[in-house]
Amino acid sequence: MRRLGAILLATALTAGLAACGGESDAGQELSDKPVTLRFTWWGSDARHQRTQQVIDLFQKEHPNITVKGEFKEWNGYWESLATTVAANDAPDIIQMDELYLASYAERGALLDLGTAAKHLKTADFDANALDTGKVDRKQYALPVGLAAYSIVVNADLLAQYGVPLPDDSAWTWDDLKRIGGEISKASGGKVTGVQSWGFNDAGGLNIWARQAGASLYDEKGNVTIPPAVLANYWTYLADMAKTGVAPPPSVTVERASAGLDQSGTATNASVFGTWWNTQLTSLTAASGKKLQLLKLPGEATAKSPGAYYKPSMFWSISSRSKHPAEAAVFVDFLANNEAAANVLLTDRGVPANNKIRTAITPKLAETDKAAVAYLDTLKVGAAPRVTPNGASNIEAILKRHTEEVLFGRATPEQAAAAFIKELQAEIDGA
Amino acid sequence: MSALGELRHIRGSTRGSPRKRDNRAALVFLLPWFGGLFFITLGPVVASLVLGFTDYNLIQPPEFNGVDNFTRVLSDERLHQALRVTFTYVVVSVPVQLACALGLAMLLDRGMRGMAFYRSAFYLPSLLGSSVAIAVLWRQIFGADGLVNRLLAVVGIEGRGWISDPGTALSTLIVLNVWTFGAPMIIFLAGLRQIPVMYYEAAATDGASRWTQFWRITLPLLSPIIFFNLVLQIIHAFQSFTQAFVVSGGTGGPSDSTLFYTLYLYQRGFNSFDMGYASALAWLLLMIIAAFTAVNFWAAKYWVFYDD
Amino acid sequence: MTDLKPVRAAAKHLGLMLLAFVMLYPVLWMVVSSLRPNNEIFRRPGLVLSSLHTQNYGQGWDALASPFGHYLLNSAIVVLGCIIGNLVSCSMAAYAFARLDFTGKRVWFAIMLGTIMLPIHVIIVPQYILFSQLDWINTFLPLIAPKLLATDAFFVFLMVQFIRGLPRELDEAARIDGCGHGRIFWQIILPLMKPALATTVIFTFIWTWNDFFSQLIYLTDPDMYTVPVALRSFVDSTVNTSWGAMFAMSVVSLVPVFLAFLLGQRYLVKGIATTGIK
């Protein structure tokens, strides 16, 4: 019995060890035999329904291909993906996030979509957009949607407290703080002017760095943000909390961890909040008030534009897929098919495919149209480098150091030094 | 009495006992368990031990790196924070939870009117388990706008977001854990039910007070169950994961104040693709828990009473 | 003196009622929220309902790939398998550890306890590889088979403690009457450990019903999803979540566990105390 256990163990381990098999050939002809593809994504029930409809459409066009959708929630998604990849049992088509792209691609888990060009067309995508899905100059992922960081303002509350809408073509970070302060004062603290950020994504930090002429990472994937820039960022956030422009830290942290529906913007407890422009529709649905998108402060005086297009998510194909050609056909359908786009609309962000974006815009809700318009009129710089392999934890690291500063457990300067050191160590360790 | 009973038990197996060993019967009764051990448990357990000596990112094959993972433990500050959090949690929450569970079990064991209702009411929160709704639910109590703060506001105290303040987050989690004392309570109840009524009847005839009955009958006869709860709750508390994960969204925040050991291990393994180190951490935890459990079993000789 | 008794009882009940309310507050809030429109849930504190938004239940039921009943059924199958597995295999192992004298008993016992000391997160990847070699992924086998093989040391240890609490004279007497271990186990020990068995059933039910991690990992095909996996797939923190529907289905999924608990606790009460063995 002991020996049997040992044998089982040995087979189990070697199966894991042999994980990196040969690259599949995505350029071959399509099979006319029955093929089953596994397709996995994260999201909420609304996305699951839309995606299933698209799968049904695809299967009608390709009767011999069955697509099995595997939907998960964000945290469970990454646990499950890591485990299945480790066991050489990954789904064929993978919804990928910018944070994890390099971690999977550099370790050979993803297919170079360039090899699938025969089945997967990318002509209707901007080169800039396509670049966001490249790692080491190979197209490991195709951007699905684009988003840009913005300030969401509650126009109804602004009117209620008699504060005029700021001119977002020229405003500065000091303006935001000042106007926010006026609101907090006018409401007697019931409503705060600004909802603090720096918790759930690195968008704010990226923009802050870019406006200062720096960037979070350099091309090689090392942390290059100057400590002083980082310290300024936290000084600004801490000031807002101290002066009552933003809620007290514990309230801020609580709302941040609770997700969109329970945020200050969604519950009408804060007037200004930083969000991705594509979240406007969700926020409006939750708040029931008139919300608007404003450009970020500081862009007019910035050394270089802070704004950039961030891919909301990507389509990737597992490098160990047994049916890479069919998987590529399916991704092509998701990315380029108008019928599919009509179902998905902006559920995964404003489509990165220009032709599709134009085609669906008339069918969008008002708030989604506003999101598209925001994206179209925004002056953006080149997208920052994809999150380096090993830094997929950056959001948690950023959140922790932001908390250290807000709760007065570290000065902005100490936090800056610690943050840079920790993030760099994660990258070096990968 | 208990020490003697235990002594009798231990000697029974070492001294040249007149009784024949029941090896064959034991094999039959343990057959499923042996099967599980060798076919299901052992392989992955050994694999995790081996992985503890490797650099393994889940995607590429593991590479042996000797004892690097274990020396890294010494300088890993977040690990030290995780150890502090976990020890605090174990030391505070286990006794409090057990005391609450035992107290309520005793209270509910008396044939009181409405007992079934209370038992169910007190148990209901434990049924929620790690349901996804739970983070939202706790926020309704301990959040900035939660029940606690609204009650405090009545008496004029300004509250805060208890879960999201690094000064109070761990204490709040300990309270949450006490909240779900249902499991040990049920086990205590079952244990109490197993104590033959005749003991109490006899004691009552002898004029023993309730207090004396508790010390002389309930505690000794319940001691195996108390011991069980103690051992398991300690093991459980060391591995505490779900509550902190759900409440902090997997970060162990704010400011690492609820960074439980297993939560940190999980972050290393799944978020940072550092499964080799995570495996080493797991074995370190196993050794810590095993040490605590061994002390527990050693101490049990002096207070746990078995009737065999 | 006699007048004080009802007062004291009333005070005791009042205290218990208050405690029960606080304990139940989250559950009550969940029920109330399942009857609120989505955008009211987080904008209104407290338990007062302005209207009954019962649509949440219908929406939640049909929100995912299959009607929610499908996931309830899957969970029920897993739970049933785990309960049978734990009852049979753990009680057998427990009898051996509690009553039999065999070679290496202490070592085996230590190993058994040791198996629950490793966090599942480092076991899961090798275990997944093992089960995928057996082609067990997307079946309920990875969830049930371990229980049939007594890998749940918690229950083995629990039952060991209960059996050791039973008077030895009972099985000594049976042995003198010529009973083998099989009959002692079946006819004497098992009936006497009903509270422990009921505890096992209740806990296995609740823990399996709520277990998320292993069900998420081993069941990748939505047809096989169980309740906890299905419930989580309502949630996305970056967009609107159908909280109302999610709470509604949480309430629905709480009903079976609660019923199981109510049924189970009736057996808990039937220990030695009422079976007449004195």
Side-chain angles (χ1 to χ4, degrees), chain A residues 22-321:
Chain A
E23 191 98 333
S24 3
D25 179 14
Q28 66 202 10
E29 291 302 322
L30 295 185
S31 163
D32 47 12
K33 297 198 184 77
V35 166
T36 302
L37 298 173
R38 288 167 57 209
F39 168 31
T40 186
W41 69 88
W42 71 84
S44 67
D45 57 321
R47 176 174 300 161
H48 308 332
Q49 288 165 1
R50 285 174 194 270
T51 311
Q52 189 55 50
Q53 286 176 38
V54 171
I55 291 176
D56 293 343
L57 285 176
F58 176 78
Q59 292 183 148
K60 222 175 271 167
E61 275 191 27
H62 301 269
N64 69 318
I65 304 179
T66 310
V67 178
K68 283 237 155 217
E70 300 176 359
F71 49 86
K72 302 272 159 68
E73 133 296 341
W74 173 266
N75 278 319
Y77 182 84
W78 297 106
E79 286 157 23
S80 178
L81 185 63
T83 310
T84 49
V85 169
N88 211 353
D89 192 25
D92 301 278
I93 300 113
I94 301 166
Q95 181 173 311
M96 182 49 70
D97 187 81
E98 192 269 331
L99 285 174
Y100 289 93
L101 175 56
S103 296
Y104 280 95
E106 286 187 19
R107 290 168 179 146
L110 303 180
L111 181 79
D112 175 4
L113 298 181
T115 63
K118 188 170 150 197
H119 303 294
L120 173 54
K121 302 279 173 262
T122 55
D124 297 325
F125 288 74
D126 275 340
N128 277 340
L130 285 176
D131 281 349
T132 60
K134 284 184 183 166
V135 176
D136 295 338
R137 286 190 285 281
K138 282 187 192 162
Q139 193 84 43
Y140 284 108
L142 186 66
V144 177
L146 295 179
Y149 224 44
S150 66
I151 299 264
V152 171
V153 59
N154 189 321
D156 285 344
L157 282 176
L158 217 51
Q160 188 184 327
Y161 296 115
V163 178
L165 193 71
D167 169 17
D168 69 341
S169 64
W171 69 336
T172 63
W173 292 100
D174 284 337
D175 290 336
L176 175 66
K177 204 197 294 182
R178 180 178 47 76
I179 300 169
E182 286 170 24
I183 294 161
S184 294
K185 213 168 139 200
S187 75
K190 204 166 109 287
V191 170
T192 52
V194 180
Q195 167 180 281
S196 209
W197 64 91
F199 299 98
N200 290 342
D201 60 54
L205 179 62
N206 260 315
I207 295 213
W208 189 275
R210 289 157 62 91
Q211 287 190 348
S215 66
L216 190 48
Y217 313 107
D218 66 11
E219 273 313 304
K220 284 194 192 122
N222 290 312
V223 184
T224 50
I225 185 167
V229 173
L230 197 50
N232 281 341
Y233 170 79
W234 276 319
T235 307
Y236 183 80
L237 288 183
D239 268 0
M240 285 205 300
K242 251 179 247 152
T243 50
V245 176
S250 74
V251 175
T252 295
V253 171
E254 184 184 312
R255 288 201 185 129
S257 69
L260 181 141
D261 285 305
Q262 297 167 70
S263 64
T265 308
T267 55
N268 302 317
S270 293
V271 174
F272 295 97
T274 49
W275 294 95
W276 297 102
N277 67 322
T278 44
Q279 291 173 309
L280 181 68
T281 303
S282 287
L283 288 166
T284 307
S287 90
K289 303 273 182 185
K290 185 173 170 9
L291 304 183
Q292 268 175 257
L293 293 170
L294 297 179
K295 294 190 181 95
L296 287 162
E299 286 288 272
T301 51
K303 289 185 179 160
S304 55
Y308 63 92
Y309 291 149
K310 184 219 176 217
S312 55
M313 57 193 74
F314 300 92
W315 300 128
S316 285
I317 297 177
S318 163
S319 62
R320 290 158 223 165
S321 168

Side-chain angles (χ1 to χ4, degrees), chain B residues 6 9-10 12-13 19-23 25-26 28-30 32-41 44-45 47-48 51 56 58 104 107-108 112-133 136-138 140-141 145 147 150 179 181-184 186-187 189-191 193-198 201 224-225 227-228 231-232 235 239 241 245-246 262 265-266 270 275 278-279 282-283 285-286 289-290 293 297 304 306-308, chain C residues 12-13 16-17 19-27 29-30 42 45-46 89 92-93 95-106 108-109 111-119 121-127 129-131 136 145-146 148-151 154 156-158 161-162 164-169 172 175 181-182 185 192-193 195-196 199 202-203 206-207 210 212-213 231-232 235 243 246-247 250 254 257-258 261-262 265 268-269 271-274 277-278:
Chain B
E6 183 63 30
H9 168 68
I10 297 164
S13 51
R19 210 168 54 203
K20 218 174 81 203
R21 282 185 178 249
D22 316 301
N23 276 347
V28 172
F29 276 94
L30 284 175
W33 181 75
F34 276 126
L37 181 67
F38 288 114
F39 288 106
I40 291 179
T41 314
V45 165
S48 75
L51 289 176
Y56 179 41
L58 286 171
L104 267 183
L107 197 66
L108 296 178
M112 203 179 73
R113 192 180 291 194
M115 167 173 133
F117 167 77
Y118 292 123
R119 199 159 51 206
S120 316
F122 294 147
Y123 199 73
L124 203 50
S126 309
L127 293 182
L128 291 172
S130 60
S131 122
V132 51
V136 182
L137 297 183
W138 294 130
Q140 297 312 311
I141 295 185
D145 307 318
L147 185 67
R150 271 182 283 143
W179 210 286
F181 53 63
I186 292 293
I187 295 171
L189 265 176
R193 283 287 147 186
Q194 218 184 16
I195 300 175
V197 194
M198 63 173 182
E201 286 167 358
I225 304 305
F227 175 62
F228 168 81
V231 170
L232 263 299
I235 295 178
Q239 297 187 343
F241 174 79
F245 182 86
V246 167
T262 45
L265 179 156
Y266 166 89
F270 282 100
M275 196 47 97
S279 302
W283 277 85
L285 181 66
L286 177 125
I289 298 178
T293 310
F297 268 85
V304 180
Y306 294 109
D307 193 20
D308 58 13
Chain C
K12 195 165 146 190
H13 276 286
L16 283 171
M17 291 290 269
L19 188 62
F21 174 75
V22 177
M23 297 281 299
L24 285 179
Y25 184 82
V27 182
W29 189 87
M30 183 165 88
F42 297 111
S89 67
M92 284 170 69
Y95 179 77
F97 280 120
R99 285 294 203 249
L100 300 180
D101 181 26
F102 55 93
T103 318
K105 177 166 159 178
R106 292 173 142 248
W108 292 120
F109 191 77
I111 290 176
M112 181 198 67
L113 271 188
T115 56
I116 52 174
M117 293 178 192
L118 262 189
H121 308 106
V122 297
I123 306 290
I124 198 94
V125 170
Q127 206 171 53
I129 294 172
L130 173 71
F131 288 144
W136 281 7
L148 285 167
L149 297 175
T151 51
F154 178 93
V156 179
F157 188 25
L158 175 78
Q161 293 305 91
F162 269 90
R164 291 185 74 178
L166 293 173
R168 260 265 152 133
E169 298 85 64
E172 294 291 347
R175 194 191 307 252
H181 285 296
F185 172 66
L192 285 179
M193 56 187 285
T199 312
I202 294 178
F203 287 165
I206 296 167
W207 291 342
N210 287 330
F212 170 68
F213 193 69
L231 272 181
R232 291 216 189 194
V235 181
W243 291 104
M246 199 273 282
F247 284 131
S250 297
L254 198 56
V257 242
F258 193 54
F261 171 72
L262 287 183
Q265 75 159 357
L268 273 185
V269 193
I272 283 189
T274 48
I277 292 182
K278 290 190 177 176

